[in-house]
Amino acid sequence: YHEWSVFCTDNAGFNVSSSTWSFTIESIVAVTLVSPPNNTYDADGSLTLGYLPQSTSGFNLGFCDLYVDDVYRQKKASPTADITNYFNITGLTEGSHTWYVNCTDNSAVINYSAKRTIIIDPVAPSVETYYPDGHSFGTSTIFFNWTATDNMDLSLSCNVYVNGSLKTPANVASPNGSVANATYSGIADGVFEW
């Protein structure tokens, strides 16, 4: 809260004063989530969540709260404005979780960040290979196919190795539970494992 007025003097020495007026500069709070990125996958449910609190009046008397799945989890008293602050969380169970941060500054102004999603996936995928399955070929161009399955991911990325050597192109898109294919050329004569 501020008061202001104007006092003027002319060359003849007359003085005049205006009425007194007031104004208020309200605090503005912003909260930006920094890390991890939205839709991040994690295997163990233990994460460090970064956020950037900003306020025109500061946070030395303020605080920020972490919410996971809309449930309060932690408080940080007196976060530092304009730099990344962190919450460390553990024990997130398998599945998709949302998180956000609510900050209150020295002037009791509150604001919330956007929500982000974290996916906890503690189970490794499986892969079943189909072809080639012990056949002999008269060509160096070989067709491979397989099915990769995961409990959480909709699409996996798979690499084919022949006798321990990565074949290119690598990172073949493999939709969860569906047959994926790749054809590789230039395979030398001999017996190979994949």
Side-chain angles (χ1 to χ4, degrees), residues 100-168:
Y100 65 92
V101 176
N102 162 28
C103 291
T104 303
D105 72 1
N106 294 340
S107 299
V109 175
I110 301 169
N111 203 354
Y112 297 83
S113 70
K115 284 185 179 182
R116 284 195 180 171
T117 298
I118 304 165
I119 299 103
I120 307 303
D121 182 4
V123 179
S126 63
V127 63
E128 185 172 350
T129 57
Y130 302 121
Y131 190 83
D133 59 353
H135 287 83
S136 294
F137 300 95
T139 179
S140 65
T141 301
I142 309 296
F143 172 81
F144 295 83
N145 73 13
W146 63 90
T147 297
T149 305
D150 189 76
N151 63 326
M152 298 292 294
D153 292 339
L154 297 177
S155 183
L156 294 91
S157 175
C158 296
N159 292 316
V160 173
Y161 288 83
V162 175
N163 283 354
S165 295
L166 175 64
K167 301 307 289 180
T168 56

Side-chain angles (χ1 to χ4, degrees), residues 31 33 51 62-68 71-77 79 87 99-104 110-113:
V31 186
L33 301 182
Y51 64 99
F63 58 91
C64 291
D65 294 329
L66 170 65
Y67 289 82
V68 177
V71 175
Y72 168 82
R73 290 287 297 255
Q74 289 182 38
K75 178 183 296 299
K76 178 167 184 164
F87 286 110
W99 69 284
Y100 65 92
V101 176
N102 162 28
C103 291
T104 303
I110 301 169
N111 203 354
Y112 297 83
S113 70

